[in-house]
Amino acid sequence: MKRGAGCERLVVVLGDQLDIDAPLIGGLDAKRDVVLMMEVVEESRHVPSHKQRTVLFLSAMRHFAEELRERGVRVRYIALDDPENTGSFDGEVTRAVGELSPKRMALTIPGEHRVHAMARGWGKTHDVDVEVMPDGHFLTSPEEFEEWAAGKKEIVMEFFYRWQRKRLGILVDDDGKPEGGAWNYDEENREAFKAAPRIKAPKQFKADAITREVIATAERVLPDLPGNVDAETWRWPVTRADAVAAFNDFIEHRLAKFGVYEDAMWTNVPFAYHSLMSAAMNLKLIGPREMWPRVVEAYRKGRVPLNSAEGFIRQIIGWREFIRGVYWREGPGYEKRNGLKQKGKLPWFYWTGETPMNCLRECIGQVREHGFGHHIQRLMVTGNFALIAGVHPKAVSDWYLGMYVDGVDWVTLPNTLGMSQHADGGVVGTKPYAASAKYIRRMSNYCDGCTFDPDKRTGEGACPFNTFYWDFLIRHRETFRGNHRMAMMLKNVDRMKEEERVAITVRGRELRKEMGIA
C-alpha cells in the first residue's frame, strides 16, 4: 500500500494469527481498513529464537500478506530489513498510527500475555479505541474453560478431555459413552521400536522464492540466532495449502502407527510417526475443527485403528485446549512460579548439543537441526534432565519457546513450566515427570554404546540421569512426602543407606558445577 494513505480502522495481524477464516479477517473492508503486519527484531530476541522458527513465522506471514493483497485488502507490511523498522511492535504501531491516523484499531487476542499487555496499552497511548476479538481457531474459549474448571479442587486434563468429547460428539455414542469402551488407549500406545524403523519420511515443502528471501534476510539481520537453516533442506509448510497437504500426508502414511509408537525414540529417527502439525496449527494455517473429523473418518473407514485415532484426537482437542485454558486462567504471573525453588542455569550444551550423553546429544542435535522434537523427547529427555538437575523453570521454558518451530507462549509455558518442570504447584500435573535412565533405555536405543552406564547411579561411569534422578528425590523428599503418586519412589529413597544418599548428593553437586548449572 502507499505510505500516507489513511484509514478508518487499523487491523493488527500477528505472526501466529494467520487464519484466513478468522472473524477479524472475514470482516475486513478494503476501503476503510488497513492490515498491519510486522516483522520485528524484538520478537526473535526476547528469547533466542531458532533460525527455522524465525524463518517459518516470517515466511508464513509474507505468504499470508500476499493472499490478503490478492483479495483486495490493503496491507502495510513491515519487513525485517526495512530501513525505517523500529524493531518493536510498539514502535511500528506508533509509526502506523502517526502515518494512517486511524479512528479505531482491532486485533485477535494475542497468544502471549506480554503482547496482550502491549495491545491493551495502544489505545491509551494513541487515544484510539482498540477492539480485542476472541480467537475462533480454538474449540474452547477461556470463558468456557473457566466455567468447566470452576469449583474443582484440581483441574485434570483427562476429565476435561472427556467433557470435550461429549460436548463435541467425538467418538461417543448417543449415551455419551466412549467408542470402544475406553476414553483413552494409553496402555496400547507405549511400545518401543525393537529395531530401526522404516518409516516414510514426512512430506517436505521446498523453499520457494519468498522463503529463500526470508532465509537470506534473517541470516543477514539476525546472524547470531541459534540452530540451523538451509533453503535446500527446508521442510515446513508456510501456507494453508501446504498445511492441508502435510496433514493429508500424515493421515495417509503415519497416523495408523502413530498411536502405538507415539512414545518411541530411536537414533537418527527425528520424526517417527508423528504428524509435525503443531507448528502449522499454532500459526493458525490449519485448525482442529477440520482435523479431528478427518481422523474420525479414517478410523470409520478402517484405515487407522482406534488407539491411533483417539491418541491423536486427544492431543488436538484435549491437551492442546486444556493447556491454553490453563494459560489464560492462571494469568501473567504464571511464568514467575517456581514451586520447587530450583535456581540452576541451563547447561551450556542445550545450545550446542555437545555432550557425551547420547540421549541428550541426539535430542538436542535434532532440535538444532530441525527445530523439532516430539513430546517424549521434550518431556522425558531434555525436560526431565533439566528438572532433575535443578535448572530454573523459566530458563527451561524460554529455551523451549525459542528453540522449537511450534513455540508460542500460550502452549509452551504451561507445557514446560507446568508439566515438564512441575513448577506451578501441581496445576498441570499431579506429579513431576522425573525419571532415571531406565525409562530412556526402555523407550529408545539411546543408551546403546553410550559413555555412561544406565544401570549405575554412583561411581565411575554412572549415568548422570541416574545420579540426578535420585539426587532430585533426596532434595525434594519432604516436598513430595504427601503426594501419594510419589510414595513408591520415596520408599526407595528411605531404604537407601545413608552413605549412598551422601554419595549421590555429593556427585550431584559436582555434576552441576561441571555442567555450569550451579
Side-chain angles (χ1 to χ4, degrees):
M1 63 167 288
K2 294 180 179 180
R3 296 291 171 89
C7 67
E8 181 177 325
R9 187 175 68 151
L10 182 64
V11 177
V12 177
V13 174
L14 301 171
D16 61 342
Q17 297 179 344
L18 310 181
D19 182 357
I20 202 68
D21 297 319
L24 186 64
I25 301 302
L28 288 173
D29 184 313
K31 292 182 179 180
R32 64 184 176 89
D33 295 336
V34 167
V35 167
L36 172 64
M37 298 183 71
M38 304 165 278
E39 299 178 2
V40 294
V41 169
E42 178 183 65
E43 295 308 298
S44 286
R45 285 194 168 145
H46 83 276
V47 296
S49 178
H50 194 294
K51 289 178 180 178
Q52 288 186 45
R53 176 178 181 261
T54 297
V55 170
L56 174 59
F57 271 71
L58 302 190
S59 178
M61 288 170 63
R62 292 190 186 190
H63 282 89
F64 190 79
E66 284 301 305
E67 184 170 358
L68 292 180
R69 291 188 186 106
E70 289 171 4
R71 296 185 175 206
V73 175
R74 290 191 292 166
V75 179
R76 177 186 172 96
Y77 196 96
I78 308 302
L80 194 64
D81 57 352
D82 185 325
E84 297 181 33
N85 193 323
T86 63
S88 71
F89 286 154
D90 279 341
E92 286 310 312
V93 168
T94 296
R95 196 154 68 98
V97 170
E99 293 183 18
L100 301 176
S101 302
K103 296 177 181 177
R104 295 180 291 130
M105 292 179 63
L107 75 161
T108 299
I109 186 170
E112 183 169 354
H113 293 302
R114 175 183 62 90
V115 181
H116 191 207
M118 283 188 210
R120 289 198 306 269
W122 292 336
K124 185 176 181 179
T125 300
H126 303 294
D127 194 26
V128 295
D129 290 332
V130 178
E131 181 184 14
V132 179
M133 299 180 65
D135 194 333
H137 165 89
F138 295 95
L139 302 169
T140 316
S141 69
E143 293 76 21
E144 288 171 323
F145 185 85
E146 180 59 40
E147 185 178 344
W148 169 81
K152 292 179 172 63
K153 290 183 179 180
E154 292 181 334
I155 53 171
V156 179
M157 199 289 290
E158 177 63 25
F159 298 130
F160 170 79
Y161 169 59
R162 295 179 186 184
W163 176 75
Q164 285 278 73
R165 288 263 299 272
K166 289 177 182 177
R167 79 185 188 95
L168 297 171
I170 301 174
L171 294 178
V172 292
D173 62 22
D174 292 340
D175 296 324
K177 294 180 180 179
E179 185 102 10
W183 286 106
N184 74 65
Y185 294 88
D186 275 351
E187 293 299 324
E188 297 179 25
N189 291 355
R190 293 172 179 161
E191 290 296 316
F193 298 127
K194 295 180 175 57
R198 299 180 65 182
I199 305 169
K200 183 176 173 59
K203 185 176 179 63
Q204 190 165 343
F205 299 87
K206 292 182 179 180
D208 63 7
I210 290 177
T211 300
R212 288 176 179 272
E213 183 180 2
V214 171
I215 290 173
T217 301
E219 289 279 37
R220 186 176 66 255
V221 178
L222 299 164
D224 56 340
L225 293 183
N228 303 320
V229 66
D230 184 345
E232 303 309 315
T233 58
W234 183 258
R235 68 169 50 257
W236 301 107
V238 294
T239 67
R240 170 166 170 73
D242 286 352
V244 172
F247 188 53
N248 290 341
D249 177 74
F250 168 63
I251 291 177
E252 180 69 23
H253 299 294
R254 300 189 305 287
L255 176 58
K257 292 187 178 180
F258 163 76
V260 67
Y261 292 119
E262 66 177 290
D263 290 358
M265 301 175 285
W266 198 269
T267 302
N268 296 323
V269 181
F271 310 122
Y273 290 102
H274 288 264
S275 73
L276 280 69
M277 293 305 302
S278 56
M281 291 186 76
N282 292 351
L283 291 174
K284 316 295 170 52
L285 297 176
I286 191 169
R289 284 183 180 81
E290 60 190 303
M291 295 171 75
W292 70 256
R294 294 284 313 284
V295 176
V296 171
E297 177 188 30
Y299 161 66
R300 297 279 184 229
K301 290 183 176 180
R303 294 165 56 196
V304 302
L306 180 57
N307 64 306
S308 284
E310 183 278 320
F312 185 75
I313 286 171
R314 176 157 26 101
Q315 290 192 357
I316 64 171
I317 77 157
W319 189 254
R320 187 170 184 266
E321 300 272 331
F322 177 79
I323 283 295
R324 180 174 183 259
V326 168
Y327 183 82
W328 288 110
R329 187 171 197 250
E330 297 301 314
Y334 185 77
E335 68 172 8
K336 298 178 182 178
R337 295 188 191 177
N338 187 1
L340 297 179
K341 296 179 174 60
Q342 306 215 112
K343 299 178 180 178
K345 298 176 183 177
L346 192 71
W348 54 267
F349 53 76
Y350 272 63
W351 301 106
T352 67
E354 296 172 358
T355 169
M357 287 177 280
N358 277 1
C359 58
L360 283 168
R361 186 172 64 248
E362 175 73 14
C363 292
I364 294 170
Q366 177 182 306
V367 174
R368 283 179 51 81
E369 186 65 26
H370 303 293
F372 175 83
H374 70 65
H375 66 278
I376 292 300
Q377 293 171 320
R378 301 190 201 201
L379 180 64
M380 301 308 299
V381 182
T382 53
N384 176 25
F385 188 82
L387 169 68
I388 60 180
V391 178
H392 194 292
K394 189 61 166 60
V396 185
S397 61
D398 282 352
W399 185 80
Y400 274 71
L401 176 61
M403 288 299 287
Y404 292 92
V405 293
D406 57 9
V408 181
D409 201 53
W410 67 262
V411 65
T412 301
L413 185 65
N415 263 318
T416 308
L417 186 140
M419 186 182 189
S420 172
Q421 301 304 296
H422 199 68
D424 64 0
V427 174
V428 173
T430 55
K431 65 179 283 294
Y433 280 87
S436 67
K438 184 185 295 184
Y439 177 88
I440 296 171
R441 182 169 58 177
R442 184 169 74 248
M443 296 308 302
S444 76
N445 72 330
Y446 293 160
C447 296
D448 295 352
C450 185
T451 301
F452 299 102
D453 187 339
D455 291 321
K456 295 180 68 175
R457 57 192 182 195
T458 56
E460 186 176 354
C463 178
F465 266 91
N466 292 337
T467 303
F468 278 143
Y469 171 71
W470 292 105
D471 178 61
F472 174 79
L473 294 179
I474 292 167
R475 284 187 288 117
H476 297 292
R477 198 173 173 189
E478 296 310 314
T479 301
F480 297 129
R481 186 67 72 185
N483 188 327
H484 70 278
R485 297 189 66 193
M486 299 290 289
M488 184 178 296
M489 290 174 274
L490 293 180
K491 283 181 181 178
N492 290 330
V493 173
D494 293 340
R495 292 190 191 105
M496 279 184 185
K497 293 181 180 179
E498 182 62 22
E499 55 265 34
E500 184 173 17
R501 281 200 290 267
V502 170
I504 289 170
T505 299
V506 170
R507 182 55 183 152
R509 190 179 302 124
E510 292 172 348
L511 282 172
R512 279 189 285 276
K513 288 182 180 179
E514 291 171 12
M515 296 175 181
I517 298 170

